[in-house]
Amino acid sequence: MTVPETSKLLDEELYSRQLYVLDLPAMQKIQGAKVLLSGLQGLGAEVAKNLVLMGVGSLTLHDPYPTCWSDLAAQFFLSEQDLERSRAEASQEPVAKLNRAVQVCIHTGDITEELLLDFQVVVLTTSKLEEQLKVGALCHKLGVCFLVADTRGLVGQLFCDFGEDFTVQDPTEAEPLTAAIQHISQGSPGILTLKTEAHNFYDGGLVTFSGIEGMVELNGCDPRPIHLQEDGTLEIGDTANFSCYLSGGTVTEVKRPKTVSHKPLDVALLQPHVVAQSSQEVHRARCLHQAFRALHQFQHLNGRLPQPWDPVDAEMVVGLARSLEPLKGTGGEPLEESLDEAVVRTVALSSAGGLSPMAALLGAVAAQEVLKAISRKFMPLDQWLYFDALDCLPEDGEHLPKPEDCAPRHCRYDGQIAVLGAGFQEKLSRQHYFLVGAGAIGCELLKGFALVGLGAGASGRVTVADMDHIERSNLSRQFLFRTEDIGRPKAEVAAEAAHRLNSDLQVIPLTYPLDPTTEHIYDNNFFSHVDGVAAALDSFQARHYVAARCTHYLKPLLEAGTEGTSGHASVFMPWVTETYRASASAIDSENATYPVCTLRHFPSTVEHTVQWARDEFEGLFHLSAETINRHQQAPTSLAEPDGLKVLTLLQEVLGVLRERPQTWKDCVVWALGHWQLCFHNGIMQLLNRFPPNKVLEDGTLFWSGSKQCPQPLEFDASQDTHLLYVLAAANLYAQMHGLPGSRDQTALRELLKSLRLPVTQHLAPIFPYDLELARASAEFGPEQLKKLHKVLEVWSGSPPLKPLKFEKDNDSNFHVDFVAAAASLRAQNYGIPPANRAQSKRIVGQIIPAIATTTAAVAGLVGLELYKVVGRPRPLSAFRHSHLHLAENRFERWVPCAPAIQKCHHLTWTCWDRLKVPAGQPERTLKSLLAHLQERYELRVKMLLHGKALLYSAGWSPEKQAQHLALRVTKLVQQMTSRMLEPGQQVLVLELICEGEEEDTTFPPLHYEL
């Protein structure tokens, strides 16, 4: 067969989050690639889904075998209606619907050498060893990248052969290091001094240069090796004959390509190089390697796989593993390692089924390796990866499934029943789970819930909560959404899609957020019917709140998150594990704000410049329009406390104009004037007040440390950034005033040639008052009020202005263009390495880089922990926290910590405990409550709080104490919080501080039961 050529422009809006992981050149290679995928059971479906979502050029599906019941436990493209149809034929259309830009074809014949010539990558899933060896040998000979992926019950393997000379152009996910240059000496070697003392450049690294004034020979030079000095300066080679360095410039790391050499499958079978983090993991991986070889041999001898949990078949597999040719080291030496027969036996017993979480995880890793093969970005696996989740099985042999419990039922869960048993399947079906978040991870989790049958029984259900609506940029990762769903609520669409995957699954969508404002919705009655919670959230603050609710209601929490190719999955079980704790630094960094004076006058990082530009957008095109509209409706409110701020803002919005703009040319004149104000005049005014050589009283230079002395820019329409700023600013100004704009850059350049730069007196002063004195002390008097009236007259009697709401994902509205250009110019003013447009968009939009593979992988890890949570009681040793980094081939799993035991006096408790005190009838007073705590628990309370409200303090005066002690507790809470209790509220949570407690002691919460 011949696969059609693929050639099309990249849809940057669709792949916007993925572009931050892979970059544009890598995405262009992926979009032109052709991949052959053989095997369309659950694992193959996951690989196909990920590749199509991520925009591979064409995908050819190969699987002539008929669909059977056991496929449906993990193959989400198939349904009961597809039984007996070819898997590839039945899967083609639903695969293609994921992304119509990808060509999805079918191959029905054998895999031949002629066929393979048409592909860059070939993936075999769930295939026989004979097929793997045949196709692997052909691919190795032809230079086609070759992968084998397989899962057997709770174990999985992945093999990569990218040839003997495969060059990785970009080995790591990290962005190249950049730094601003302070000085470069002439000499051999030349010494480069950076503006910042702390940096991550390393000895032997390669760098190049840009934007240097004076020593221009370095700009755009070939990569130069550096030598790191003890004082942090860098030797950069011979600069003795270069021009003298004057100012500015950026040094940028150049990543070194790396070459890997892979053995063909027939050699790697006996000399396996496994990916592992420790010697124990290496030994276990080799045991699993032998188990897979023995399973292949069993299948070859018997024409089938071992029967589910059949001890006779399992012992035969163990015997075959014993008789295998011993493995050899990478140098060909025999490996003297004993076979862990217990592991091989367990693998054989549980190998008959296919599980959705295992398929999700292995399918994600396999798809990422396909991208590495195509793009040559990130290091490929070297060469075998083994993963096992045998910890999902009961640790004692008594509760392992029995053969009769795992026999086929001719139902959609047969593949799962073969591993975990029908009794466990029934337990899954009765669950009521609460999923918070229906974004990328939420969609993958819902898919997994539908496949495993979570809540699919008559008494079970899944509730999903998400307040967001679907955007186009979601479609490359959020598997349950399609183009026609854009604009609809995520929770509703996800619920409908999950029900289509499994018609027995009842999914209830909720569009309310889960936060303190909705505790009357997600209340005790709601959580009392929930068996567990899964959190798929993208902020630490939201995770922290959901985890606190789970701790309060004693519910298990499954939680996952991703950033780029890094991801994690965690499990928190009442009484068994620690609770979720987001670090204070993580929450603080998420909500980071910068001092106004830093943004306005003393930026030192690219983040400062981008935030300044974002604030400029908000002030010029949103707040100003709202302010003008509001004051046209209510002119008497002009003497408000922030009148001076309003005056300054509106003077900038008016700029060099003396009347409301009427034409496109007026908008360009305003934009040019504002360019001059921000990047020339404002800087000149700042330097006039703080000259470059200004010295403070202690003798230090004012412009030192993090304060970087700025330089004014001269407008030059031939420079792209200057032109783009005016283009974006003029178009936004036109939009705000309801005028037509223009995208014609050539015409704009010609127009700018005819315009004269505005003189200083025609521009609003950037400092209406002295910089060191202009604070709240500045008065807004009659003179300023008169000026404000005069400015507002410009817009009087005109149609209302249109406030522009910043939208990061619309690349045609000039919003990001303005921010990117303004931030870049600001960076040039201060000698800061500027962000490009994509980086500015990521910073201003607080965009988290994301890719479908990592999302699917962490969802698979969550699914494995779900088995344990549902199968409780399970000991701490059964559970796993997980972290993976697909770009760096790191896969780590570890047992969570047990909850810490705290002690005070005679009491011991953990984070899952609470003190319970009934309110009584009639309700007790505060005095009665304190007396009860002393009598029942021997606690003398020093302070009692409800949230931030202080209800009692032993340090108060006797009179104040008496007033509070006499009140009933609910009355006191209402009085101190100024809020009524919610109807039906059953508990007040109070916080205690008692005599004799240590500094690091946190008493359990007091649940005052109403």
Side-chain angles (χ1 to χ4, degrees), residues 197-474:
E197 294 181 5
H199 62 79
N200 293 315
F201 287 96
Y202 56 92
D203 200 63
L206 297 176
V207 298
T208 189
F209 304 87
S210 61
I212 295 173
E213 294 185 20
M215 198 177 284
V216 294
E217 294 90 342
L218 286 174
N219 288 332
C221 68
D222 291 335
R224 286 186 158 227
I226 57 173
H227 181 58
L228 181 63
Q229 304 290 299
E230 289 186 4
D231 61 359
T233 59
L234 306 175
E235 287 185 3
I236 61 168
D238 189 358
T239 60
N241 296 319
F242 289 176
S243 308
C244 182
Y245 174 83
L246 296 177
S247 65
T250 300
V251 57
T252 303
E253 174 193 20
V254 177
K255 292 187 179 182
R256 291 178 184 268
K258 291 186 178 180
T259 300
V260 297
S261 180
H262 284 168
K263 299 183 179 74
L265 179 60
D266 60 337
V267 177
L269 269 175
L270 290 177
Q271 297 180 19
H273 195 287
V274 297
V275 176
Q277 316 301 322
S278 67
S279 57
Q280 292 93 335
E281 288 186 21
V282 169
H283 177 63
R284 188 169 180 95
R286 287 174 179 158
C287 287
L288 294 172
H289 184 79
Q290 295 296 71
F292 269 89
R293 290 179 68 199
L295 285 171
H296 279 300
Q297 195 164 345
F298 182 99
Q299 188 174 17
H300 178 72
L301 293 172
N302 297 280
R304 62 173 177 84
L305 288 170
Q307 294 295 328
W309 293 93
D310 186 321
V312 176
D313 282 357
E315 287 309 315
M316 184 175 178
V317 173
V318 173
L320 291 170
R322 284 195 209 103
S323 63
L324 287 170
E325 182 179 348
L327 297 178
K328 299 175 183 178
T330 52
E333 71 282 3
L335 293 174
E336 301 296 333
E337 285 185 339
S338 60
L339 180 69
D340 190 333
E341 294 187 3
V343 169
V344 176
R345 184 175 294 106
T346 305
V347 169
L349 287 166
S350 57
S351 64
L355 300 175
S356 165
M358 290 296 296
L361 176 60
L362 269 295
V365 182
Q368 188 69 51
E369 294 305 302
V370 172
L371 296 195
K372 293 177 184 179
I374 296 167
S375 67
R376 297 179 179 260
K377 189 176 178 72
F378 310 147
M379 294 295 290
L381 288 172
D382 188 22
Q383 281 184 266
W384 292 95
L385 173 70
Y386 282 92
F387 178 89
D388 82 86
L390 297 175
D391 41 76
C392 290
L393 298 172
E395 293 181 335
D396 56 7
E398 295 181 10
H399 294 91
L400 290 173
K402 301 292 189 292
E404 59 273 15
D405 194 38
C406 300
R409 263 66 172 171
H410 300 295
C411 74
R412 65 173 302 117
Y413 308 116
D414 274 359
Q416 185 164 263
I417 289 172
V419 181
L420 302 172
F424 182 77
Q425 187 64 50
E426 177 61 26
K427 202 169 185 180
L428 275 169
S429 72
R430 294 195 300 266
Q431 298 291 302
H432 177 190
Y433 254 71
F434 181 32
L435 173 60
V436 189
I441 298 175
C443 282
E444 288 289 336
L445 288 177
L446 260 184
K447 177 203 72 185
F449 293 170
L451 292 172
V452 304
L454 182 73
S459 60
R461 64 182 181 276
V462 171
T463 300
V464 56
D466 196 309
M467 62 183 292
D468 288 343
H469 290 69
I470 297 166
E471 300 175 357
R472 194 160 186 275
S473 62
N474 301 151

Side-chain angles (χ1 to χ4, degrees), residues 690-703:
F690 302 105
N693 58 357
K694 180 178 175 65
V695 177
L696 300 174
E697 292 181 1
D698 63 1
T700 60
L701 284 171
F702 177 84
W703 295 107

